[in-house]
Amino acid sequence: MRKLRLIGIGTGNPEHLTLQAVGALESVEVVFILDKGEAKAELLRLRREICERFITRPFRFVVAQDPERDRNPGDYAAAVEAWHTARAVLYETLILRELAAGACGAILVWGDPALYDSTLRIIDRIVARGHLPLDYDVIPGISSVQALAASHRIALNRIGGPIHITTGRAIADGLKPDAESTVVMLDGDPRFEHLDPDLTIYWGAYLGTANEIILAGRLGAVAGEIRRLRAEARAHHGWIMDTYLLRAPDRR
């Protein structure tokens, strides 16, 4: 039986790793990494840096090219399904070839494995296929949601209030009518014109790292600046990871 550990590594700052994550890395003999291309080479470098800092025993990197994904599909659900299937087949092949029976491998997951990440679903597919006996566990990590709140020094919710966590795609037609505090992730091209300009936005990119950028204010006043900063940062780094909290005016 092979062992696989899915380790949440936070948002790019090696100090985001929990003591549990550091301990889990010490048991690892092989680290599997999917290369997302030159534009996101920094993400690969950060994973290597984390491993070299915290793994003191001999280990190997196994790097493979991430399967291509249709970013503008006619059928979004079908495109994601195809991408997940391709990733499952790739990981299964790598684990069978590179991880000996009885050995322990790891996949380092940006943020937390339970929040808007596909790795858990992909490993479930591998197990369901039945070709690869596999034992795995999950090590939680600091998510961009937590990092955003920490950088802005805010509580995510109002007293006793709910938090809605969703994606940029899901708010294309606006927020829920009763939304109080909405965290938006995976928004590749944030456009705010259709939203209430009196919302307060807390935005952050490269959270927790030396490249962190944060901005907060009335949405109608800072939306343009956020889009400008975002475009400049993407052009400079070749990639961007950002998230934001939208908070409705307190009308009590």
Side-chain angles (χ1 to χ4, degrees), residues 170-228:
I171 66 164
D173 296 322
L175 303 182
K176 291 179 177 294
D178 59 347
E180 215 177 63
S181 301
T182 303
V183 176
V184 183
M185 304 176 67
L186 303 178
D187 193 347
D189 184 21
R191 297 186 176 278
F192 305 112
E193 296 88 347
H194 61 299
L195 299 174
D196 181 354
D198 287 329
L199 291 165
T200 299
I201 185 169
Y202 299 90
W203 172 81
Y206 314 105
L207 289 159
T209 74
N211 297 318
E212 178 177 280
I213 314 167
I214 60 172
L215 186 62
R218 179 178 170 272
L219 183 61
V222 300
E225 179 68 359
I226 288 172
R227 285 185 58 79
R228 184 189 68 78

Side-chain angles (χ1 to χ4, degrees), residues 45-232:
R45 186 195 66 77
L46 285 167
R47 283 177 166 86
R48 288 184 179 274
E49 178 185 335
I50 285 169
C51 291
E52 289 163 359
R53 176 169 174 176
F54 292 114
I55 302 177
T56 60
R57 61 182 290 172
F59 74 99
R60 293 185 294 117
F61 287 112
V62 172
V63 182
Q65 190 67 40
D66 196 14
E68 288 293 329
R69 176 184 173 185
D70 185 353
R71 293 291 176 178
N72 297 289
D75 185 335
Y76 178 76
V80 171
E81 176 76 15
W83 182 50
H84 284 182
T85 298
R87 274 188 156 191
V89 170
L90 176 58
Y91 270 130
E92 182 179 289
T93 301
L94 293 174
I95 294 167
L96 279 168
R97 187 180 70 208
E98 303 288 348
L99 191 65
C104 181
I107 297 173
L108 308 187
V109 179
W110 210 256
D112 182 273
L115 186 61
Y116 285 111
D117 184 83
S118 62
T119 309
L120 271 169
R121 293 186 180 90
I122 288 164
I123 300 305
D124 285 341
R125 285 171 184 257
I126 293 172
V127 172
R129 283 162 58 88
H131 305 312
L132 173 61
L134 189 65
D135 180 29
Y136 68 96
D137 63 358
V138 179
I139 312 300
I142 292 176
S143 70
S144 61
V145 178
Q146 296 160 283
L148 179 74
S151 289
H152 281 284
R153 300 181 295 178
I154 56 170
L156 286 168
N157 62 293
R158 289 202 172 109
I159 296 175
I163 307 165
H164 181 55
I165 301 177
T166 188
T167 66
R169 183 182 294 272
I171 66 164
D173 296 322
L175 303 182
K176 291 179 177 294
D178 59 347
E180 215 177 63
S181 301
T182 303
V183 176
V184 183
M185 304 176 67
L186 303 178
D187 193 347
D189 184 21
R191 297 186 176 278
F192 305 112
E193 296 88 347
H194 61 299
L195 299 174
D196 181 354
D198 287 329
L199 291 165
T200 299
I201 185 169
Y202 299 90
W203 172 81
Y206 314 105
L207 289 159
T209 74
N211 297 318
E212 178 177 280
I213 314 167
I214 60 172
L215 186 62
R218 179 178 170 272
L219 183 61
V222 300
E225 179 68 359
I226 288 172
R227 285 185 58 79
R228 184 189 68 78
L229 288 171
R230 204 176 179 282
E232 287 181 356

